[in-house]
Structures are given as structure tokens and as C-alpha cells.
Amino acid sequence: MQKKLAEELRKELLNWYRVNKRDLPWRKNRDPYSIWISEVMLQQTTVAAVVPYYEKFMSHFPNVETLARASESEVLEMWAGLGYYSRARNIHKSAKLISTQGFPQKAESLLELPGFGPYTSRAVASLSYNEAVGVLDGNVIRILSRVHGFKLNWWLPKDRKQLQNLSDELASTKYNSEINQGMMELGATVCTPKKPLCLLCPWKTKCEARKNNLIELLPLSKPKQKGELWHWQMNVHIKNNKIYLEKNTVTPFLTNLLFPPSKAKAVNKKPMKYDLKHSVTKYDIYIQIHKIVLKKSLKSNWFDLNTIKKVNHSSLMTKILKNHNNQVE
């Protein structure tokens, strides 16, 4: 990027962000813990949806030490509803390390912690410690692709690196925190995937996509990942208002969550008989429920139905219990 263009883009973005930034709870300070939690929650989730979950989580775990001391089940319970539960497990693991070693201040060091990918590491290092590194998420990929008119395969390492370099260049200033937040804000509120508000954009006069009628085409669409069909048979045993559960090790999804004893396999077509359908990322799951009486069971594997969300917070578990209750009725 030409130095003059970078300076102009930076100045226009800063002026726009300082006037238009939203009042969000994690922007009230530069605390690395609160910024970290918000950035992880915002993955795969909108700001509007995250705010109540964030406030509940921070109220329960106000600092990294309280999070580190908590049990995994307590953390998962506070995370319930946000999905992608591996994120919660990773922040719990990282909290234990940070509480004893301190919070790393450089993106390169943060990257070594569980759950800290390139984006989260750079976001925390910049927003909390003012390290001059640029962030690259879906919003930033979109605005940079459009303003430069780049038809890049951004999901491939080589092309993604090109966009990362552009982001780093824009953030190479003492105002890097505002630049990074400005790019994220611009992508979230103005330069949206569909029907962007181009007239409100601080970069509208420089946007190559706008000049060349490429807004609808950029960024390029990532090829869709081929989906998988799974047939999951569950043996449900409920007795005295308790259900028997085991750690799920039979599927590549929802692993290690507690479910009824089961067996599963990938299939080529939709099963003829099933009781429930559930979807997780690329997986379409057809669940068949069998009510059984266990011949042998472990005492520690029985869980109270009234507090089931403490041990399994997934929406699938709710569906299983609802199906069981409907059949009983």
C-alpha cells in the first residue's frame, strides 16, 4: 500500500470511529481480561447477542483469578447459550496459566495460550497493550478487500497473509487500538456483507469496489465445506428423576459432553427412522432414541434432571429430554 494512501485511510477511519463508535461494555477500559473474554464471545456471534452473556459471565467471573478457580462445569454453565463450547474450555485452561504466569503483553506470546488464535492474540495485544499489530477477522477481510478491490482467495494462507500485511500497515501507529476497533466497527455497521451503507463510509471516495461496481462480489465467497450426515443412536435411561450419562467419545462433534450411552456412524443418506434432527457446523445429525433399563451402571454417572444444564448445557440435551417427556405423555 502506498504510504500516502495508508495515511489517508488511517486519518479518515480514526475521525469516523471517534464519532460513531458504539458504547459497548468491553470498551470502557483497556483491561486485557475483559477484552479477551469479549473477543472470544464475539466469534461466531453478533454484538447484540453477546452483550447479555458477557455481562452475566463477567459478573460471575470478574477477573482471571476467579475464572481460574472455577470448575469446568461452572464455566460451561455460564457459557450456556453461546455454543462452540470448546471456546469456554480453552479460556478456562488459559485462565489457569495466566493467573499464575501473568498476562502476556505481546501477540506472539499470547498465541502460545490455548484458544488464542492470530486474531484474538493481536486484538488483545493491541487493544490492551497498544502493540502496533493489525487484526484480521471477517469484517476486516471484507473492508480491505473492497477498498482495494482485491479478488483474493482470502481463506488460503498466501492471500490471507496479503490482507494481514495491509492490516498491520494500517495499525503501525500509536493509535493502533482505535484503528483496529475502527476497522471492526466499520465492517460490522457500515460495510456489511449485504446492502452496505456506502454513503456513510469514511472510505467511500477511495473504495475500488464501489468505483468498479464490485461491492456485491467482494470479498470472494469461500467454497462451501461438504456436509456430513450422521446417525446417532442413544440409549436413554431415566429413573427417580435422574438420567444416566457418559462422556461422548463416539462422534467428532459435541465431544466430551455428557450424553446418554450411544453409538454413532457417518451415513450416506438420511435415515428412514429417527426421532430428532440436530445440526452442528457441517454435521447434520439424525438421532434415534431407545429407552432402556441398564443392566450395569456406575453410581457416579447419574445426574439430577433438575440441574442437568450444569453438566450438559447443549440445546441437543434439551431436545432429548423433551422428546422423552413427550413419549412418556
Side-chain angles (χ1 to χ4, degrees), residues 314-325:
S314 70
S315 59
L316 176 55
M317 192 69 212
T318 303
K319 289 181 182 179
I320 292 167
L321 295 176
K322 185 177 180 180
N323 177 270
H324 177 273
N325 291 337

Side-chain angles (χ1 to χ4, degrees), residues 10 25 38 48 114 122 139 149 151-152 185 196 221 230 247 260 271 286 302 314 329:
R10 199 180 290 131
S38 71
R122 287 166 172 268
N139 287 322
K151 296 179 181 178
L152 295 175
E185 190 82 345
S221 297
W230 278 74
K247 273 194 175 182
Y286 295 89
W302 288 92
S314 70
E329 292 172 3

Side-chain angles (χ1 to χ4, degrees), residues 232-249:
W232 198 358
Q233 291 179 291
M234 292 191 177
N235 298 317
V236 178
H237 185 32
I238 293 178
K239 183 179 180 182
N240 298 328
N241 207 44
K242 291 188 175 183
I243 185 170
Y244 188 82
L245 305 175
E246 298 176 346
K247 273 194 175 182
N248 170 40
T249 58

Side-chain angles (χ1 to χ4, degrees), residues 51-145:
V51 170
Y53 288 103
Y54 171 83
E55 291 178 337
K56 181 182 75 169
F57 193 92
M58 294 300 290
S59 176
H60 199 81
F61 305 120
N63 51 52
V64 73
E65 289 77 20
T66 54
L67 179 58
R69 289 195 299 266
S71 65
E72 182 179 287
S73 61
E74 188 180 1
V75 175
L76 291 174
E77 184 183 0
M78 287 296 105
W79 195 268
L82 281 167
Y84 300 92
Y85 293 97
S86 60
R87 294 183 295 171
R89 292 191 181 91
N90 280 330
I91 64 169
H92 192 215
K93 292 174 186 175
S94 288
K96 291 178 180 180
L97 295 171
I98 294 168
S99 67
T100 57
Q101 302 171 9
F103 228 112
Q105 298 186 15
K106 298 291 184 182
E108 188 177 355
S109 300
L110 286 164
L111 198 54
E112 297 176 4
L113 293 169
F116 273 85
Y119 168 77
T120 307
S121 300
R122 287 166 172 268
V124 173
S126 169
L127 274 56
S128 300
Y129 299 111
N130 217 44
E131 184 180 6
V133 291
V135 296
L136 192 69
D137 67 350
N139 287 322
V140 179
I141 287 170
R142 184 166 57 257
I143 67 171
L144 291 180
S145 295

